[in-house]
Structures are given as C-alpha cells and as structure tokens.
C-alpha cells in the first residue's frame, strides 16, 4: 500500500494518520491469523469427518457414551463456527484495507480509531457503538 493510501484511512480526532508500516503490521497479523484459522478449520473438519465414519466403540449402547460423543461433536461444531466467523472478519478487514474503507464504524460511519484497530484488527464498531451494543 502506498503512503497516500494508508494516510487516507480514517482515524479518530487527535490520532496521527496511518503510516504504511503501521498498516503493514496490522495486515501481517491478520494474514497470519487467517492462515492459522484456515488450518484450524481444515483440521476440525477432518476430525468431524473421521468421527462420522468411526464405528461407535462398544456398540454405542451406553446412553452416557452416546451423550458424551454428541456433546463433543456439538462442541467441535461450535468451535468451527467461531473460527469460521473470525476468519470471515479477518478476510473482510483485509478487503477493506485494499478498498481503502478499513476503520470505518459499521454503525455510525465514524472512524473506529487507529489505536483500537491496532489492538483489535477485526473491530467493526467504534468504542461508543460497541458499548451501546453491549448494553442491549
Ligand atoms: Zn460507531
């Protein structure tokens, strides 16, 4: 990204504009997380597939055993769901960097703020909107 493009991204009043280096740092962090999240999803899908084809040990007549397996499967599915959600948010953040719309609050359209994005690169709401959402 060119310096002019980085500097064109929104920041909060009082914040210095993004430098290409700062943006590259956030981007690299997101990209390494995307790689890890993709790997995690691939593994959990493999595990789920394995478990589906696995014959249930001991004929699976014990209801507690079946219950534990069901719980484990639901737990895995929930984890995969969360990872997929994070992955989608990471990818969206990168797309927004490319489009020059990174750092705009989804709710109010104001700048999310550079400091907040450096701490939470996937943030889609400014602090004010985030707090309002959490109170609901
Ligand atoms: Zn907002």
């Amino acid at each position: 990204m060119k310096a002019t493009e980085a500097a064109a991204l929104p920041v909060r009043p009082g914040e210095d504009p993004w430098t290409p280096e700062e943006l590259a740092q956030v981007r690299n962090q997101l990209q390494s997380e995307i790689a890890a999240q993709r790997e995690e999803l691939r593994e959990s899908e493999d595990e789920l597939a394995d478990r589906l084809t696995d014959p249930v040990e001991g004929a699976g007549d014990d209801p507690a055993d079946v219950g534990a397996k069901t719980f484990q499967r639901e737990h895995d599915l929930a984890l995969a769901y969360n990872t997929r959600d994070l992955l989608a948010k990471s990818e969206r953040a990168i797309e927004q960097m490319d489009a020059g719309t990174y750092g705009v609050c989804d709710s109010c359209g104001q700048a999310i703020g550079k400091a907040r994005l450096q701490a939470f690169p996937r943030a889609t709401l400014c602090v004010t909107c985030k707090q309002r959402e959490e109170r609901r």
Side-chain angles (χ1 to χ4, degrees):
M1 175 167 283
K2 292 189 278 288
T4 47
E5 288 170 331
L9 292 177
V11 291
R12 307 282 293 179
E15 283 186 325
D16 292 325
W18 285 94
T19 67
E21 291 75 23
E22 287 168 336
L23 202 63
Q25 211 172 6
V26 174
R27 194 190 179 96
N28 287 342
Q29 192 191 329
L30 282 168
Q31 268 165 344
S32 69
E33 286 177 17
I34 286 173
Q37 285 152 0
R38 282 196 180 133
E39 177 67 11
E40 204 177 300
L41 273 179
R42 204 181 52 74
E43 276 171 19
S44 76
E45 274 159 17
D46 283 355
E47 270 173 39
L48 282 170
D50 280 356
R51 210 168 289 133
L52 283 177
T53 53
D54 261 0
V56 180
E57 285 162 40
D61 288 327
D62 184 350
D65 198 35
V66 174
K69 280 182 198 303
T70 306
F71 175 80
Q72 181 62 41
R73 185 175 151 72
E74 274 166 11
H75 180 72
D76 288 349
L77 284 172
L79 276 184
Y81 180 82
N82 284 342
T83 305
R84 214 166 279 135
D85 186 52
L86 278 179
L87 177 61
K89 285 184 175 143
S90 304
E91 285 173 337
R92 182 168 175 244
I94 300 266
E95 281 165 20
Q96 287 180 321
M97 282 181 192
D98 290 339
T101 57
Y102 182 62
V104 180
C105 174
D106 268 358
S107 181
C108 69
Q110 301 291 307
I112 291 173
K114 188 167 75 171
R116 175 161 162 74
L117 288 167
Q118 284 173 324
F120 308 103
R122 282 179 294 267
T124 55
L125 294 173
C126 70
V127 173
T128 313
C129 292
K130 180 75 185 163
Q131 284 169 346
R132 195 185 310 131
E133 192 179 69
E134 280 168 1
R135 274 201 299 271
R136 273 208 299 258

